[in-house]
Amino acid sequence: MNIEVFSRCKYRDNNRPGDDVPLVLPGVCLGVFDGATDVRGNVIAGVPAARLAALTAAEVVSELLLNRKNRELPARQLVDRICEMYAEKLKPFDLPQLPATTLSLAIDCGDQWRLFCLGDSGIRLNANTILRHSKLIDDVATHARVALFKHLRDGGADPETTELTARRGIFLGLSAAVKDGVLSEAEADGIVHDTIRSLDLAAEADAVREFLRSGICKQGEFANVEGSSLCYDVLANGSPKLGDWIDERIPKSEIHTIEVFSDGYATLPSIPTIAAWEAEFERAEELDFHRICDLATVKGGTKSEFFDDRTVVIADCNVG
């Protein structure tokens, strides 16, 4: 087996670590962990909260899966055990809320690969089969952020200012944008109503309104709970309730390549090489730099940042 790893932080001058953490344990697992960016910039023991989340999760998974028996745990038990160990390792920091991270794992189970994903990092097999879960709350945030971006752009703001202002508005909430004088109350309400209508979320109108008014900084309140279509599963406080994970087993004889990747890649290449992944990233940058069209997401590129950290781990299973 040949293994390639590429991880690039979001900062263009590359002077700070990002929130993605790759994991390679030959004979045990391949993984990618993507910490959820703390929009308020919290730092814990000198480490950004999102990076600490990803690093801690990687440590937990390494310890857990070195024992072969744990690789065979049923999905619910595996998730609960990871969550318990994660909370225990972060306990000394006495945090009011644990930082969140995704995890995507290709686990070596003898004559099978076990593919396990929690959150929106993904896995691709044989350069064609994609395993990845998406969550509605991201669609809500994306729709509102694009609407805010276009409103600011149409008002004459330059692209850089537009992106930074729209990013602040969706991170800290539309109410903050009103307070900043970026939107009127009527304009903020218009974005909320259009998001609800466009995504057919009338039944969740109150939750959508509260979320968009408060911003992504409050997104954690929907993590690992039940009661709303905006709820989602992730490694964070508590244990996932919805069962929104991917857990598949495939014979090794059927798998030629495995690519484990974070959502910093908006589109995927046709061939499984680092060079191809990076070329595809550059193509996406040219196609939709601000991520407001076909590749819309919760933030776009700026002069100082790519739209997100990006990481990919590639295993060529036909070698060796």
Side-chain angles (χ1 to χ4, degrees):
M1 177 185 289
N2 275 352
I3 300 174
E4 294 183 281
V5 180
F6 181 84
S7 188
R8 178 67 163 86
C9 73
K10 66 173 77 67
Y11 307 107
R12 292 182 186 273
D13 56 11
N14 208 20
N15 65 343
R16 286 171 283 173
D19 301 329
D20 286 0
V21 172
L23 175 66
V24 176
L25 289 174
V28 179
C29 73
L30 310 172
V32 167
F33 306 82
D34 179 3
T37 301
D38 188 311
V39 300
R40 298 192 183 279
N42 288 324
V43 174
I44 303 167
V47 181
R51 184 164 181 81
L52 179 63
L55 286 169
T56 303
E59 182 181 359
V60 164
V61 166
S62 299
E63 292 178 5
L64 186 65
L65 297 185
L66 280 172
N67 184 332
R68 284 184 172 274
K69 292 182 179 179
N70 291 331
R71 301 179 212 171
E72 302 296 338
L73 288 172
R76 169 51 70 182
Q77 291 183 31
L78 178 64
V79 168
D80 287 347
R81 186 68 184 121
I82 291 173
C83 290
E84 290 167 4
M85 293 175 67
Y86 182 73
E88 187 64 28
K89 285 191 178 293
L90 292 175
K91 191 174 181 179
F93 299 111
D94 193 26
L95 303 172
Q97 182 172 338
L98 300 182
T101 181
T102 69
L103 61 87
S104 283
L105 305 171
I107 304 170
D108 192 326
C109 293
D111 60 353
Q112 293 182 324
W113 282 104
R114 183 178 186 182
L115 299 315
F116 192 89
C117 302
L118 177 65
D120 55 10
S121 293
I123 298 174
R124 186 170 70 164
L125 306 174
N126 300 334
N128 56 41
T129 301
I130 299 171
L131 307 176
R132 179 169 51 182
H133 180 75
S134 61
K135 56 186 188 291
L136 180 60
I137 199 168
D138 284 346
D139 295 338
V140 170
T142 295
H143 190 280
R145 177 242 164 198
V146 170
L148 177 55
F149 185 102
K150 292 180 177 179
H151 170 80
L152 296 169
R153 181 195 60 187
D154 294 347
D158 66 88
E160 182 79 0
T161 300
T162 295
E163 169 55 32
L164 293 173
T165 305
R167 187 181 293 197
R168 173 178 169 81
I170 200 62
F171 281 6
L172 301 184
L174 297 181
S175 290
V178 172
K179 186 176 181 180
D180 290 344
V182 172
L183 293 173
S184 67
E185 287 286 354
E187 288 166 340
D189 283 341
I191 290 175
V192 172
H193 292 320
D194 182 64
T195 301
I196 292 169
R197 179 188 58 78
S198 297
L199 299 181
D200 195 21
L201 291 173
E204 300 291 342
D206 290 343
V208 172
R209 183 176 297 104
E210 180 182 357
F211 169 57
L212 291 180
R213 280 289 189 167
S214 300
I216 291 176
C217 61
K218 298 292 186 179
Q219 180 170 308
E221 295 176 6
F222 293 91
N224 296 342
V225 297
E226 296 175 299
S228 168
S229 61
L230 298 188
C231 297
Y232 61 96
D233 285 348
V234 73
L235 184 55
N237 272 25
S239 190
K241 301 291 190 299
L242 307 174
D244 282 343
W245 52 68
I246 293 170
D247 184 24
E248 295 194 13
R249 292 172 179 266
I250 300 179
K252 285 185 175 179
S253 60
E254 298 179 11
I255 297 181
H256 307 295
T257 59
I258 301 172
E259 298 157 286
V260 190
F261 57 94
S262 70
D263 65 349
Y265 289 98
T267 56
L268 278 55
S270 59
I271 57 176
T273 66
I274 298 297
W277 278 81
E278 280 299 283
E280 186 64 14
F281 176 81
E282 293 299 331
R283 188 187 74 83
E285 284 281 275
E286 295 180 8
L287 180 66
D288 191 6
F289 182 80
H290 292 293
R291 301 308 197 266
I292 58 171
C293 300
D294 292 341
L295 307 181
T297 185
V298 296
K299 55 185 176 179
T302 69
K303 293 178 180 178
S304 61
E305 293 184 19
F306 300 110
F307 88 99
D308 205 352
D309 306 302
R310 61 190 190 272
T311 298
V312 60
V313 177
I314 303 175
D316 184 341
C317 304
N318 292 328
V319 179

